[in-house]
Amino acid sequence: MSRNKHLVLASILVVIVSAILVVIFLNTNFIPTEAATQAKPIDHLLRLLLGIGGVVFALCMVFLIYSIFAFRHRQWDSAEGPPLEHYSPLEVAWTLIPLAIVLFLAIQGARVLGDISRAMPAELEVKVVAFQWDWRFEYPQYGLESEELRLPVNRPVLLRLSSLDVIHSFWVPAFRTKEDAVPGMVTTLHLTPSRLGSYKVWCAELCGTGHAQMQAPVIVVEPADFETWVKELQK
Amino acid sequence: MTFWRLGIIRGIVVGLAGSGLGMGVTMLLRIALGLTAWKAGPVTAVGTVVGILFYLAGLGAFKYWLGWVRRRAAEEPQATEPTQPHWARYLSFDINHKTIGIQYLVTSLLVIIVAGIYQLIARLETSQPGLQFLSPNTYNSLVSLHGIMMLSGVLLGIAGMMNYLVPLMIGARDMAFPRLNAISYWLTPPAVLLFLFSLPAGGFDTGWTAYPPLSLRAPLGMQLMLIAFYLVGWSSILGSINFLTTIFKMRAPGMSLFRMPIFIWATIATALLQLVFTQFVGIAFLMLLLERLTGLGFFDPDKGGNVILFQHLFWFYSHPAVYIFVLPGLGVISEVVPVFSRKPLFGYKAVAISSLGIAFGGMIVWGHHMFAAGMEEWLRVPFMFTTLLVAVPTGIKIFSWLATMWLGKIHLETPMLFVISAIVVFLIGGIPVDLYIHDTYWVVAHFHSTLFGGFVFPMMAAIHFWFPKVTGRLLDERLGKRYWTVMTVGFLVTYLPMFWLGLNGMRRRIADYDPALGLGTMNTVATIGGYLTGLAMLLFFINLVVSARRGAPAPANPWHSQTLEWQVSSPPPEENFVTIPQIVGSPYGYGIPGSRHALIPMSSQPPEEVS
Amino acid sequence: MSRATTLVINRLTIKRLGLWLFILSESFLFLALLVVRFYLQGVQRPTELNQPLGFVISGILLLSSLTAYRGESAIAYGDEKLFRRNILFTLGLGILFLVGVGIEWAEGFRFFPPASGFGTVFFTLTGFHAFHVLTGLLALLTLVLPGQKGRFTPENYWAVEGIVKYWHFVDVAWVFIFPTLYLVS
Ligand code: HEA
Ligand code: HEA
Ligand code: CUA
Ligand SMILES: [Cu+2]
């Protein structure tokens, strides 16, 4: 086979394999359901990364596996390959194209970061206090304290995280975002729960013996139900 | 007594005496100050430090310099006394770079075995939800020790490869500072010992990252680990001084920068990173140690400290460190691919420079480990950008290897097979990461893929490639290929499920998880995969030992390679080159008519000292 | 030049490069310490800090660099007596510097103990530096005996050159540490 034929064949294979991979990545649902508006951009970014990753992976794999099969040689005879030492246009291309992709991804990523850390009007403020090995939630606007994090649906929330001892991390998988609770500091996290239901907040930073079990319920309810809950506790 | 002549015996005995002395003096001092005599932290810390100094002296590490001061005719100490048996060299303060390389590699393999077994125990625990047989603290200690020992093992492994190969590849007789080189190595056995003692001393349930304040409260095992890694750190700083000096000053005549093998370029990049950045982790660990021992307030917010400071210092080293781990591995791939494709390395200059590109890029990305850590908001964007940027030079390398194989005459011997696995696995691992994924098994899968692709598989390729040169015997090909199959399959079975686990909410460093999440099955699969890799490693060791004793004798150049180390006998002579080689061309001129890398003049006369 | 002399010169450039690389590595240690100082304490400085004493010991250390330099150039010209005298001066000044740091520490313990914010920074920076001074002094000490036996010649005094370079480095490190501890605010 001539050199060009190899190239054409491999290129066709690359297109086919990338298409398959991208379709698989974009259509299977392998992450938990989203339950906050902040989850959307994050999932979008994840899929974008997986898509691009899929194409790059397909490209490299096809050429690698194709070479192994097409150019395999068994005997240690004196046969040597053609002495191709470099070809500048190709090298420039495989520097600049990834650079462009990377720039594009960085801009997308910056957008997403902006989206998820933007403050909203009329936020419900909750102080999240983490300690070995449990959580406590305070609602300063209502003068409340609670063992569980109860939130009204579709209302922006501002979490102020702090820790009494070591570093912990606030993570509700369905909300996607994550922030450490650091002793000596107050960190913030913006959230807008978008789906009713009960979830769990897990501690995502190793904090000692009870780390694996460090969790608390997170309950997203209708605003009216939230008001009754508040009234009940205030009594 | 010949036994007493063994450096290691003298080192241990004198070291133990020194450590007893140190502990005794500290206890006396404490009594004098009106404190209780025994407090584990400070007493053992002083004991360890004094013990290590005595041990080095006992080994004979300072003999030459002390002799110089007292003018006992500062003659070069004989590397080995001829009366000693061959194996004794490896247990003594020997200054030949080939001996030191082997010492490093064997130590590295031992450390990796222990670290691997720790994790296999821990994997058994995580294979099902619920606590089976380990307490959470033991589980976390095992995982943390697995992490730090593996990484130390990697550092030792690359130091071994570079020690053995660099002088041979550039046509030098030895390293620039052979005695310093031996000291760099001999700093590591006490480190290994301390790692091993760490578990009986309470372990440390902080992860290998040792974040305070948790690490300030961890048991004594923490302290042993901090000192141990500090020693490994100094070993790699001293080693890097040696590599850089050797490469810049001792290349054979005619070897211009762009005639150096890529492995040498990779060594330069690695050594630069080690030289500069190891200081940061060193100081961070030392500060932890000081805070634990003396109550200085670096990290405790109540004393005016700041816990984020530790993370900055730690990752300022530990991110570049991941490139320290992979650059030599990528260098090995660049050596093996042209030889087994019978073609020149495609885009040699770009591949050479991209090592430096990765190194420089890797210096400014540490913040990506701290996205969720309460770091200043505005810093996240530049860190994300620089992180992604490193993909560009890495891509250049990968594409160049593929182009080298394209249209080649590919020979699928074991080293080449491992290189192929390495490329595949590294690509899997390179898929980027974001906030959701932080501290989940996705990260675990990511870094095992990059570490296996960038270090473990290339190291296996390297061992299979250079084994004939080192021992003068061939490795068993059939066993090698079987090992490769089991290892690659085992890898995929272990880590592909972990990507899925991470996306589905499996956090890191947990001994137990909620059965409701439905993670049990995939975890069981991963455990089975882990044991498969363990089995593969067993095959590998069998092959190593059997072939080293009974393998077929190897010719000088079994793979028909052009680089310098293959132009001398297998194993190489004591002084590497009987005559000074003359470098006349590219190291990878396969298929170019009349191309040669080096001319080695035939002469029976031993050369003058050329260092 | 004969082959033998080129080899000696070559060996010397190798040693020099090695030393410079070591110094490069060490300067990143001090850089990290300076970062720690500003990260933890910004430009804060307690009024109890004994600035005059700080100036005095800085002067002593700078002077010791000068005597070390004179010692090195003396041996380069083969003047052994001057060399020995200057090395002893340097040793004395170095010890004086350490004594000064000791006095500072004694005062420090009273006003800003190690467990306080500035105390942590102060004791760490001066402690690490003092440790380097100590190693420098030990190294200088190893020059005394061979120096008395006339082992150094204008052709072969690498040990002197290397140790004096290290001493200058320790000095320069102090030039950065001193203002960050004593002068900023
Ligand atoms: C050898 C080890 C190694 C290597 C090489 C890498 C390489 C990379 N690492 Fe990894 N990493 C680790 C070891 C390693 N890492 C470890 C040990 C941890 C966890 C530490 C801990 O917390 O315990 C970690 C954690 C880690 C995190 C933090 C996760 C978290 O805890 O939240 C991040 C985040 O950005 C990250 C990113 C990257 C990136 C972008 C690269 C890039 O360098 C990858 C570049 C390669 C490619 C992208 C593939 C090839 C390129 C092409 C074919 C070109 C075309 C490609 C594109 C245009 C996309 N790594
Ligand atoms: C080079 C680095 C390296 C290597 C090679 C490995 C190899 C392996 N790693 Fe590890 N790993 C890390 C570096 C590495 N790891 C790091 C840095 C961490 C983070 C730690 C932290 O969180 O702080 C980590 C964490 C880590 C975790 C996460 C734990 C947690 O967060 O709870 C897991 C989980 O499965 C894991 C598994 C494995 C397995 C199964 C292997 C296997 O491939 C091991 C195979 C090797 C052997 C088994 C040894 C040799 C075998 C024999 C001598 C045969 C005989 C023995 C038997 C069959 C029993 N590793
Ligand atoms: Cu709290 Cu982990
Ligand atoms: Cu990193």
Side-chain angles (χ1 to χ4, degrees):
Chain A
M1 250 194 302
S2 81
R3 288 180 188 187
N4 286 340
K5 261 198 200 144
H6 283 302
L7 208 57
V8 171
L9 207 60
S11 310
I12 294 172
L13 280 173
V14 168
V15 174
I16 296 173
V17 177
S18 338
I20 295 174
L21 276 183
V22 170
V23 168
I24 292 178
F25 281 155
L26 296 193
N27 288 315
T28 34
N29 227 348
F30 33 66
I31 23 184
T33 26
E34 323 175 331
T37 43
Q38 280 78 5
K40 273 221 172 51
I42 292 188
D43 283 1
H44 174 73
L45 187 65
L46 188 68
R47 281 180 196 279
L48 187 71
L49 290 175
L50 281 176
I52 292 180
V55 174
V56 172
F57 188 70
L59 175 77
C60 298
M61 276 313 94
V62 166
F63 272 88
L64 182 71
I65 293 169
Y66 189 92
S67 303
I68 294 173
F69 284 103
F71 310 125
R72 171 123 193 233
H73 220 250
R74 278 164 204 280
Q75 255 81 49
W76 277 99
D77 49 19
S78 55
E80 308 265 44
L84 305 168
E85 284 189 278
H86 60 95
Y87 178 56
S88 304
L90 188 60
E91 289 177 54
V92 171
W94 73 41
T95 311
L96 290 187
I97 295 174
L99 192 66
I101 297 177
V102 157
L103 270 172
F104 168 74
L105 285 177
I107 292 167
Q108 291 292 316
R111 274 230 192 96
V112 171
L113 270 180
D115 278 352
I116 61 174
S117 49
R118 190 176 305 125
M120 306 278 182
E123 281 175 324
L124 169 68
E125 213 179 300
V126 184
K127 270 195 190 158
V128 180
V129 183
F131 52 95
Q132 281 173 328
W133 291 277
D134 212 344
W135 303 90
R136 194 172 70 221
F137 306 95
E138 294 167 11
Y139 295 74
Q141 287 149 337
Y142 301 96
L144 283 185
E145 221 184 276
S146 160
E147 295 282 298
E148 58 179 38
L149 179 60
R150 196 172 279 252
L151 299 172
V153 72
N154 289 333
R155 167 148 179 218
V157 184
L158 169 64
L159 300 179
R160 289 186 189 282
L161 298 112
S162 59
S163 162
L164 301 181
D165 35 50
V166 302
I167 304 176
H168 304 272
S169 191
F170 179 96
W171 187 42
V172 181
F175 295 167
R176 300 294 189 270
T177 53
K178 182 178 293 167
E179 188 71 33
D180 286 5
V182 185
M185 283 171 66
V186 176
T187 51
T188 56
L189 193 61
H190 299 276
L191 270 183
T192 314
S194 61
R195 210 167 139 266
L196 296 176
S198 57
Y199 310 93
K200 263 180 186 160
V201 49
W202 295 99
C203 175
E205 182 70 52
L206 179 56
C207 54
T209 316
H211 167 62
Q213 274 89 18
M214 183 167 163
Q215 44 153 312
V218 178
I219 302 164
V220 180
V221 294
E222 293 290 352
D225 295 339
F226 181 72
E227 292 303 325
T228 45
W229 178 73
V230 167
K231 295 255 162 57
E232 201 131 307
L233 274 191
Q234 275 170 340
K235 261 188 271 168
Chain B
M1 247 197 329
T2 40
F3 203 50
W4 189 244
R5 280 250 203 73
L6 277 183
I8 193 165
I9 304 286
R10 266 178 301 155
I12 290 172
V13 172
V14 179
L16 283 179
S19 127
L21 184 76
M23 296 214 265
V25 170
T26 322
M27 290 205 278
L28 286 180
L29 258 175
R30 287 182 61 91
I31 292 172
L33 288 171
L35 303 161
T36 49
W38 176 259
K39 191 173 169 215
V43 176
T44 51
V46 178
T48 318
V49 173
V50 178
I52 288 165
L53 285 175
F54 271 64
Y55 145 90
L56 283 176
L59 263 175
F62 309 131
K63 216 159 113 193
Y64 174 80
W65 285 304
L66 289 178
W68 176 82
V69 171
R70 294 164 47 201
R71 180 77 209 204
R72 235 202 281 103
E75 96 295 355
E76 292 278 316
Q78 195 66 44
T80 27
E81 283 118 279
T83 51
Q84 274 182 308
H86 183 64
W87 53 266
R89 288 187 79 161
Y90 295 102
L91 297 176
S92 304
F93 191 80
D94 192 278
I95 59 172
N96 187 296
H97 74 98
K98 294 191 287 301
T99 318
I100 295 172
I102 302 298
Q103 289 172 326
Y104 265 122
L105 282 172
V106 171
T107 318
S108 161
L109 285 176
L110 290 177
V111 172
I112 286 176
I113 294 176
V114 176
I117 290 174
Y118 282 165
Q119 186 57 41
L120 288 183
I121 300 170
R123 267 286 1 140
L124 221 49
E125 173 63 55
T126 15
S127 61
Q128 283 299 318
L131 284 174
Q132 276 85 30
F133 63 100
L134 290 175
S135 75
N137 282 340
T138 322
Y139 174 85
N140 280 329
S141 295
L142 283 173
V143 170
S144 313
L145 269 167
H146 161 75
I148 195 82
M149 287 182 74
M150 277 292 182
L151 298 182
S152 306
V154 173
L155 284 175
L156 298 183
I158 60 161
M161 284 198 278
M162 298 193 308
N163 248 303
Y164 199 95
L165 293 174
V166 165
L168 277 169
M169 280 185 162
I170 63 173
R173 286 183 66 168
D174 206 319
M175 300 285 282
F177 308 109
R179 240 163 272 104
L180 187 69
N181 198 19
I183 289 184
S184 311
Y185 167 72
W186 284 101
L187 282 175
T188 61
V192 176
L193 223 59
L194 288 173
F195 280 135
L196 292 179
F197 283 149
S198 173
L199 201 57
F204 54 100
D205 50 354
T206 65
W208 76 282
T209 48
Y211 280 5
L214 194 58
S215 52
L216 296 174
R217 307 164 176 219
L220 185 64
M222 184 86 239
Q223 175 183 322
L224 301 188
M225 172 280 210
L226 292 174
I227 299 178
F229 198 70
Y230 194 70
L231 287 175
V232 174
W234 266 102
S235 162
S236 70
I237 292 176
L238 298 178
S240 64
I241 293 176
N242 230 329
F243 290 126
L244 287 172
T245 314
T246 310
I247 294 174
F248 283 120
K249 292 285 178 192
M250 292 167 62
R251 293 193 307 274
M255 184 175 280
S256 57
L257 287 180
F258 284 113
R259 281 181 185 168
M260 299 191 305
I262 295 292
F263 186 79
I264 304 295
W265 278 97
T267 305
I268 293 179
T270 312
L272 274 175
L273 288 175
Q274 285 183 327
L275 184 75
V276 169
F277 288 97
T278 314
Q279 292 284 1
F280 288 86
V281 76
I283 189 76
F285 276 18
L286 216 52
M287 279 157 64
L288 265 186
L289 203 62
L290 287 173
E291 180 150 354
R292 285 174 63 99
L293 292 175
T294 66
L296 288 169
F298 300 106
F299 307 123
D300 184 347
D302 295 339
K303 294 180 188 164
N306 186 321
V307 294
I308 304 291
L309 171 65
F310 178 85
Q311 299 184 18
H312 278 301
L313 289 174
F314 180 85
W315 289 117
F316 196 55
Y317 162 77
S318 293
H319 184 84
V322 308
Y323 298 115
I324 294 175
F325 304 152
V326 295
L327 279 168
L330 304 185
V332 168
I333 300 180
S334 307
E335 294 300 321
V336 173
V337 167
V339 174
F340 289 88
S341 307
R342 311 311 301 165
K343 271 181 68 197
L345 182 66
F346 190 88
Y348 169 91
K349 278 194 184 167
V351 177
I353 305 274
S354 68
S355 295
L356 296 179
I358 294 177
F360 285 112
M363 290 177 182
I364 44 175
V365 306
W366 75 95
H368 66 219
H369 296 274
M370 299 162 61
F371 277 148
M375 189 175 59
E376 292 75 356
E377 291 270 325
W378 60 272
L379 274 175
R380 291 186 185 182
V381 175
F383 275 133
M384 185 176 58
F385 176 62
T386 50
T387 298
L388 288 166
L389 210 55
V390 181
V392 176
T394 319
I396 293 180
K397 277 185 188 295
I398 291 188
F399 295 135
S400 301
W401 298 328
L402 294 179
T404 307
M405 290 171 66
W406 189 250
L407 296 177
K409 300 262 179 282
I410 297 175
H411 296 267
L412 291 182
E413 313 291 319
T414 321
M416 189 62 182
L417 290 174
F418 273 109
V419 159
I420 290 165
S421 295
I423 297 177
V424 177
V425 166
F426 195 78
L427 277 169
I428 297 176
I431 298 172
V433 199
D434 72 21
L435 197 62
Y436 168 64
I437 257 87
H438 170 74
D439 259 326
T440 66
Y441 261 59
W442 179 287
V443 176
V444 175
H446 153 69
F447 67 71
H448 281 91
S449 309
T450 46
L451 275 162
F452 270 79
F455 171 75
V456 177
F457 284 124
M459 167 118 155
M460 292 308 162
I463 291 179
H464 286 82
F465 186 58
W466 280 292
F467 187 87
K469 176 56 55 190
V470 174
T471 60
R473 289 178 188 280
L474 294 173
L475 269 176
D476 187 302
E477 263 297 310
R478 256 192 33 237
L479 207 52
K481 284 193 175 131
R482 274 197 203 143
Y483 163 53
W484 170 77
T485 318
V486 183
M487 189 76 183
T488 306
V489 171
F491 174 85
L492 295 174
V493 175
T494 317
Y495 298 103
L496 290 185
M498 287 193 192
F499 281 107
W500 183 88
L501 283 170
L503 286 179
N504 282 279
M506 174 89 184
R507 292 167 295 150
R508 295 173 67 178
R509 297 165 175 170
I510 49 173
D512 177 20
Y513 41 90
D514 192 347
L517 292 173
L519 303 172
T521 329
M522 281 302 186
N523 266 310
T524 313
V525 174
T527 304
I528 295 171
Y531 277 83
L532 266 181
T533 49
L535 185 74
M537 292 299 286
L538 216 56
L539 280 181
F540 168 65
F541 286 116
I542 293 174
N543 195 1
L544 272 194
V545 174
V546 171
S547 300
R549 308 184 120 209
R550 298 210 204 102
N557 192 357
W559 316 116
H560 310 281
S561 166
Q562 296 202 349
T563 43
L564 264 179
E565 78 276 21
W566 296 105
Q567 314 311 320
V568 295
S569 64
S570 302
E574 179 72 21
E575 68 279 23
N576 293 349
F577 299 95
V578 182
T579 54
I580 304 170
Q582 188 78 33
I583 309 301
V584 293
S586 135
Y588 309 112
Y590 305 104
I592 304 172
S595 159
R596 294 204 62 177
H597 178 48
L599 298 174
I600 302 196
M602 286 300 154
S603 143
S604 51
Q605 223 152 323
E608 295 174 68
E609 157 94 61
V610 228
S611 41
Chain C
M1 261 193 294
S2 78
R3 180 142 174 80
T5 34
T6 47
L7 284 179
V8 169
I9 290 171
N10 192 12
R11 193 67 218 159
L12 198 61
T13 63
I14 287 177
K15 286 174 170 166
R16 283 206 183 112
L17 180 60
L19 182 72
W20 280 117
L21 289 172
F22 179 73
I23 286 178
L24 179 72
S25 179
E26 285 286 285
S27 40
F28 277 86
L29 168 69
F30 285 107
L31 183 72
L33 287 171
L34 296 184
V35 169
V36 168
R37 190 264 188 267
F38 289 114
Y39 196 94
L40 287 182
Q41 288 292 308
V43 291
Q44 263 177 23
R45 174 165 62 84
T47 46
E48 292 90 351
L49 201 63
N50 192 342
Q51 256 180 342
L53 182 57
F55 273 112
V56 171
I57 59 175
S58 306
I60 292 175
L61 201 62
L62 284 181
L63 203 62
S64 80
S65 232
L66 187 69
T67 54
Y69 170 74
R70 300 219 328 147
E72 185 189 344
S73 38
I75 199 67
Y77 288 102
D79 187 343
E80 290 194 28
K81 227 178 98 202
L82 193 63
F83 160 72
R84 281 202 297 272
R85 233 191 18 238
N86 272 305
I87 291 299
L88 289 178
F89 271 144
T90 314
L91 272 169
L93 289 171
I95 291 168
L96 217 56
F97 174 82
L98 285 186
V99 171
V101 173
I103 299 173
E104 281 280 26
W105 274 37
E107 288 184 12
F109 264 103
R110 260 187 294 139
F111 297 116
F112 37 90
S116 69
F118 186 79
T120 299
V121 165
F122 178 80
F123 285 100
T124 312
L125 262 68
T126 50
F128 269 95
H129 183 260
F131 177 75
H132 280 80
V133 173
L134 196 67
T135 53
L137 284 176
L138 287 178
L140 283 170
L141 212 57
T142 64
L143 291 181
V144 172
L145 209 61
Q148 267 162 4
K149 294 190 187 150
R151 290 256 306 278
F152 301 119
T153 59
E155 289 80 41
N156 182 6
Y157 62 96
W158 159 251
V160 180
E161 183 192 329
I163 289 169
V164 167
K165 278 213 175 95
Y166 179 71
W167 189 256
H168 290 322
F169 163 70
V170 173
D171 215 22
V172 171
W174 181 255
V175 169
F176 283 92
I177 290 175
F178 174 69
T180 50
L181 282 182
Y182 286 83
L183 300 184
V184 295
S185 78

